Amino acid sequence: MEIDQKIQFSSSNKLIHLLNISNMSREQIFEILDLAETYVDNKQKRYSDLEGRTIASLFFEPSTRTKTTFELASKRLSADFINIDISNSSTLKGESIVDMIKTLEAMSCDMFIVRHSISGTPHYIAKQVGEKISVINAGDGIHAHPTQAMLDMYTIRKYKKKFDNLKVAIVGDILHSRVAKSLITSLTILSVKKINIIGPKILMPENLNELHVEYFDSLEDGISGCDVVIMLRLQKERMHEALISTDDYYKKYGLTSKKLQSASRDVIVMHPGPINRGIEIDSDVADGNNSVILDQVTSGISIRMAIMSMIMNNRLK
Ligand code: CP
């Protein structure tokens, strides 16, 4: 599917959809992080930013974190939130995705939150919707997961304050991970000092040389001196065949307390979830003092509040 990266901006360069990070500026990313911080600092349970608005979530793939935090974020902003149960929807009777969207538009939906296994689906929908309607990409195929990257940047800034001097390691199945693609893009825009990519060569994208990263096959070498270590799971649902056994993967790339000692002493360990304990990460690391994994989940609420509120506000400008 052709992916139009420019569609997410208005003619005055305001964000009106969030589909990808790749053509966002450092300032636009910080604007979202700063707004999210105001929601956290204010500690208010309810805001009226989206009063009278209707948000529909369309998850064609499973989700716990993204789906739930979008729902909580919408409710905290006083929007009406509709959770479409795709597995019991009229798509099973042959309704196309465009007809489904048009049907929901006829019910006055203002925003669609879309997750789909086919890369580019949220971009496709953004081209089909009416001119006042926004689309947020909640993860498309192996392409992008921009709201996850935003909450990850929020978490990194919370613990490390600045990006410039950071050494960040991303470990795992980069090839099939939309999270990794959006992370690398965001960290590059924010000019971190170093991005190390670690994992089996077979799980690396072909264009690795075009990215601002250094590849390592060894976990200990790759995380050595790193301030942030981001673990990813094997995305088996996107592999046509088993590319590596989980036992072999754990032995070489599973993060244990012992291996983590080669990172910086105050390293933070992150994971977008869901985590697979005993495969990419040991429980004593996932639950240990350096882990900020559940904090990432919490930040997902305020980041998604900020994104939805900003987009709707930009529609009024
Ligand atoms: N990180 C993430 O996208 O998790 P879910 O699949 O649970 O939404």
Side-chain angles (χ1 to χ4, degrees):
M1 196 179 285
E2 197 193 332
I3 298 178
D4 181 348
Q5 304 289 14
K6 297 229 170 79
I7 191 175
Q8 66 184 2
F9 296 105
S10 68
S11 52
S12 55
N13 205 30
K14 297 279 179 203
L15 202 66
I16 49 171
H17 305 283
L18 179 57
L19 305 172
N20 200 4
I21 305 277
S22 63
N23 51 4
M24 289 181 71
S25 66
R26 183 184 175 90
E27 290 69 32
Q28 283 165 328
I29 294 176
F30 278 134
E31 202 184 338
I32 291 173
L33 304 193
D34 291 345
L35 181 56
E37 211 163 73
T38 65
Y39 291 124
V40 174
D41 290 347
N42 285 342
K43 293 193 175 72
Q44 236 172 274
K45 277 267 185 247
R46 288 267 166 195
Y47 296 80
S48 57
D49 305 32
L50 297 187
E51 207 164 60
R53 302 289 194 168
T54 304
I55 317 276
S57 99
L58 300 161
F59 277 67
F60 293 85
E61 269 193 349
S63 167
T64 299
R65 282 146 281 267
T66 313
K67 191 173 172 179
T68 314
T69 52
F70 263 118
E71 180 163 355
L72 278 171
S74 302
K75 288 177 174 168
R76 288 194 186 167
L77 294 172
S78 306
D80 292 327
F81 185 83
I82 309 168
N83 204 345
I84 308 293
D85 178 4
I86 299 291
S87 60
N88 285 309
S89 72
S90 290
T91 51
L92 269 70
K93 300 179 213 161
E95 185 170 56
S96 74
I97 199 164
V98 173
D99 285 332
M100 185 186 198
I101 293 290
K102 295 288 171 199
T103 302
L104 292 166
E105 270 192 56
M107 299 177 204
S108 303
C109 284
D110 298 290
M111 186 181 276
F112 295 110
I113 316 294
V114 181
R115 170 171 288 191
H116 204 285
S117 59
I118 300 175
S119 299
T121 302
H123 304 66
Y124 173 70
I125 293 174
K127 282 193 160 175
Q128 308 293 327
V129 294
E131 60 178 27
K132 293 200 172 126
I133 298 175
S134 295
V135 178
I136 297 182
N137 181 359
D140 64 323
I142 62 167
H143 174 241
H145 196 345
T147 65
Q148 178 69 44
M150 287 288 181
L151 76 88
D152 290 339
M153 294 309 107
Y154 183 91
T155 308
I156 292 173
R157 188 171 78 161
K158 179 176 168 182
Y159 286 94
K160 298 293 171 187
K161 310 298 176 213
K162 290 195 163 157
F163 290 92
D164 320 35
N165 274 324
L166 292 182
K167 267 180 85 175
V168 180
I170 305 174
V171 187
D173 177 4
I174 312 295
L175 177 63
H176 300 102
S177 172
R178 53 195 175 210
V179 173
K181 316 278 170 33
S182 290
L183 270 171
I184 293 168
T185 306
S186 314
L187 293 166
T188 305
I189 293 170
L190 297 179
S191 309
V192 297
K193 190 168 159 193
K194 186 92 194 297
I195 307 172
N196 292 347
I197 299 296
I198 304 137
K201 201 73 199 230
I202 198 165
L203 295 178
M204 293 295 137
E206 273 177 20
N207 70 340
L208 202 61
N209 297 341
E210 296 161 24
L211 307 174
H212 299 281
V213 301
E214 185 175 354
Y215 170 70
F216 292 84
D217 184 45
S218 151
L219 178 61
E220 287 93 329
D221 291 347
I223 66 172
S224 175
C226 280
D227 308 287
V228 179
V229 174
I230 305 171
M231 304 304 294
L232 302 171
R233 71 186 171 88
L234 293 170
Q235 319 268 307
K236 286 186 186 159
E237 71 276 24
R238 297 190 197 114
M239 295 179 193
H240 300 299
E241 55 186 309
L243 296 173
I244 185 165
S245 83
T246 46
D247 284 353
D248 290 346
Y249 187 85
Y250 173 72
K251 274 186 209 131
K252 201 158 176 198
Y253 304 104
L255 187 61
T256 61
S257 300
K258 186 161 181 282
K259 287 179 185 164
L260 188 61
Q261 284 173 8
S262 78
S264 163
R265 221 161 57 87
D266 60 354
V267 64
I268 55 168
V269 176
M270 299 172 60
H271 193 310
I275 62 174
N276 291 145
R277 293 167 188 262
I279 300 179
E280 74 270 12
I281 190 164
D282 264 1
S283 281
D284 57 354
V285 179
D287 305 327
N289 290 337
N290 299 91
S291 170
V292 296
I293 295 171
L294 291 178
D295 209 7
Q296 286 173 265
V297 176
T298 306
S299 299
I301 303 171
S302 50
I303 274 292
R304 290 176 174 122
M305 286 168 76
I307 291 165
M308 288 192 289
S309 176
M310 179 179 290
I311 284 175
M312 277 293 139
N313 205 22
N314 286 344
R315 286 282 183 193
L316 304 173
K317 287 177 183 163

